[in-house]
Amino acid sequence: MSPLTPLDGRRIRAAVIGTGAIARGSHLPALATLADEGETEVVAAVDIDAAAVEAFCAAGGVPHAYTDLDRMLREQRPDLVTICTPPTLHRDQSIAALRAGAWVWCEKPPVPTLADYAAVEAEEGAESGPYSSIVFQHRFGSGSRHVRRLLAEGALGRPLVVHCQTTWYRDTAYYSVPWRGRWATEGGGPAMGHGIHQMDLMLDLLGPWSEVRAMAGRLVHDVETEDVSTALVRFENGAMATIVNSVLSPDEVSRIRIDCERATVELTHLYGHSNANWHITPAADVPGDEADAWRDFGADVPSSHLEQLRELVASMRAGERPRGSGADGRTSLELVAALYKSAFTDVTVKAGEIGPGDPFHTAMHGDAPGWAPAAEVAVSAVSSENVASGEEVPA
């Protein structure tokens, strides 16, 4: 499968699916910036709420409003579709867009299960696209790029000890939204919908993991999923990590710390980072000029949807698989599934063991007693005005 029309240096025709908070606050502004630079044009938006999509289009200068995704794909033939709807809708919407020849940029969590992810992958083009990429914007920007290079080059020595922390706070009102806290509609708790960003960045910096041992609990909220989890992870390079994902923490912070042989690298932020959020502490025997070079992050480019979209557009023009797609996009979902399997079955889970036939491949709760819902909730169309997609802003 290949795009319906060659790009040939022209503007990329984009459509936004779901017109809720993440679409208004992140996707449309990023697309608008690239439109100002001559890269994109937003040709349509889709939402099941006619009033919502009309208002979105009027505010954003989008020419065509739809309540029917298939009709929009047929009539507008976009090159790129950005999906900003709740997780349970991502699979079918991604597949529909790929079959229409459009590349996909989908909010996280990507899909509720590894089986769903495999179904989306099966619809991608074999060589030059279209591809489906996941929004993991924390990988992008000058800070993560600089640290990734230092680690890849071995400048800091071997990574040894890692901490990955997403300790946020969500109150009872947050979970009063009907689809939150349910396996069928949200796909998981803070490991899936909140901490996946920091875990994805950790994996992007450190490479493949080999095994995980985890615990999860419902300590406060009356939900199907967990509201806190902890995990121990061993990486293929030998590094050992601790992970904490929580929605019970009034002092909110997102943090990654990597202790290497020659330096400690730490990122402390909340919903996005710039150069100032990164700190490198050299070991005592590191020459000052070398440490100064490590601390030179260059021009400050904050992590953002815009930076990921820039790279995605470049990949589209080159006909290359973008970061955050295929096996690269699946790795964080595999870690989440392994975390849940370990926590719910009290076993150590090895990388690659959750495949077809494993109950955790088709449901993140794995039908585990005490965690699987008594009856799966039927999912009807959900207005994207209820969208969180694992919000980047408090809700």
Side-chain angles (χ1 to χ4, degrees):
M1 187 183 297
S2 61
L4 294 176
T5 55
L7 296 176
D8 295 334
R10 63 173 174 80
R11 288 177 182 264
I12 288 173
R13 293 168 52 83
V16 180
I17 313 305
T19 60
I22 201 70
R24 295 191 304 267
S26 297
H27 285 247
L28 189 60
L31 288 164
T33 296
L34 292 188
D36 290 341
E37 298 172 5
E39 289 284 356
T40 63
E41 59 176 327
V42 183
V43 298
V46 182
D47 197 294
I48 62 169
D49 185 329
V53 70
E54 291 286 355
F56 179 88
C57 290
V62 180
H64 301 288
Y66 288 85
T67 57
D68 186 307
L69 173 59
D70 290 334
R71 180 182 174 189
M72 184 280 292
L73 292 170
R74 185 173 61 251
E75 293 182 357
Q76 298 302 322
R77 299 168 65 88
D79 306 301
L80 171 66
V81 164
T82 77
I83 296 179
C84 307
T85 52
T88 189
L89 304 176
H90 291 175
R91 169 181 167 158
D92 289 348
Q93 291 173 343
S94 296
I95 288 173
L98 289 167
R99 287 179 176 174
W103 291 51
V104 173
W105 193 36
C106 181
E107 269 296 334
K108 62 85 192 160
V111 283
T113 71
L114 288 168
D116 291 327
Y117 193 92
V120 174
E121 276 190 289
E123 299 294 335
E124 292 183 320
E127 296 182 1
S128 59
Y131 299 115
S132 178
S133 182
I134 308 307
V135 176
F136 284 132
Q137 76 273 18
H138 290 200
R139 294 188 187 190
F140 298 83
S142 53
S144 54
R145 180 172 60 246
H146 179 67
V147 170
R148 188 183 305 109
R149 180 180 61 80
L150 291 176
L151 291 168
E153 293 175 351
L156 309 180
R158 289 186 301 130
L160 303 171
V161 182
V162 184
H163 302 277
C164 181
Q165 175 184 353
T166 305
T167 44
W168 293 358
Y169 184 79
R170 298 293 184 263
D171 60 14
T172 302
Y174 176 86
Y175 285 103
S176 67
V177 176
W179 61 268
R180 289 193 179 130
R182 295 179 180 271
W183 294 108
T185 47
E186 195 167 21
M192 182 73 150
H194 304 84
I196 195 170
H197 267 312
Q198 296 315 296
M199 291 190 288
D200 179 76
L201 177 55
M202 175 186 68
L203 293 172
D204 191 54
L205 294 174
L206 293 170
W209 59 277
S210 59
E211 61 180 346
V212 60
R213 193 74 167 83
M215 298 172 64
R218 301 184 191 101
L219 303 187
V220 173
H221 297 293
D222 182 16
V223 292
E224 291 179 352
T225 65
E226 86 288 4
D227 58 15
V228 63
S229 67
T230 63
L232 303 176
V233 177
R234 191 189 308 274
F235 284 83
E236 286 186 3
N237 61 20
M240 298 178 66
T242 62
I243 299 174
V244 180
N245 299 306
S246 165
V247 288
L248 310 178
S249 308
D251 184 8
E252 296 185 290
V253 69
S254 305
R255 178 179 291 121
I256 291 177
R257 172 178 167 139
I258 305 172
D259 296 324
C260 300
E261 292 174 306
R262 305 186 68 215
T264 291
V265 179
E266 187 167 15
L267 167 65
T268 304
H269 67 117
L270 188 53
Y271 298 125
H273 52 81
S274 63
N275 286 354
N277 297 113
W278 293 84
H279 301 278
I280 299 180
T281 304
D285 60 350
V286 173
D289 57 347
E290 188 174 10
D292 289 342
W294 293 347
R295 292 176 174 134
D296 182 4
F297 283 70
D300 190 12
V301 181
S303 65
S304 67
H305 283 68
L306 174 60
E307 287 310 304
Q308 183 173 1
L309 184 60
R310 284 189 196 281
E311 189 170 306
L312 174 59
V313 166
S315 297
M316 291 179 68
R317 294 200 182 283
E320 298 174 347
R321 176 176 287 282
R323 293 170 64 199
S325 69
D328 181 51
R330 186 174 61 245
T331 181
S332 297
L333 196 65
E334 289 176 324
L335 179 58
V336 172
L339 184 156
Y340 284 141
K341 180 175 182 178
S342 177
F344 300 164
T345 64
D346 196 29
V347 299
T348 296
V349 177
K350 304 290 186 180
E353 77 171 54
I354 301 178
D358 190 305
F360 287 87
H361 188 255
T362 51
M364 285 291 173
H365 55 67
D367 295 322
W371 290 100
E376 292 289 356
V377 178
V379 180
S380 60
V382 180
S383 169
S384 63
E385 196 56 39
N386 291 330
V387 76
S389 300
E391 291 94 329
E392 312 311 324
V393 294

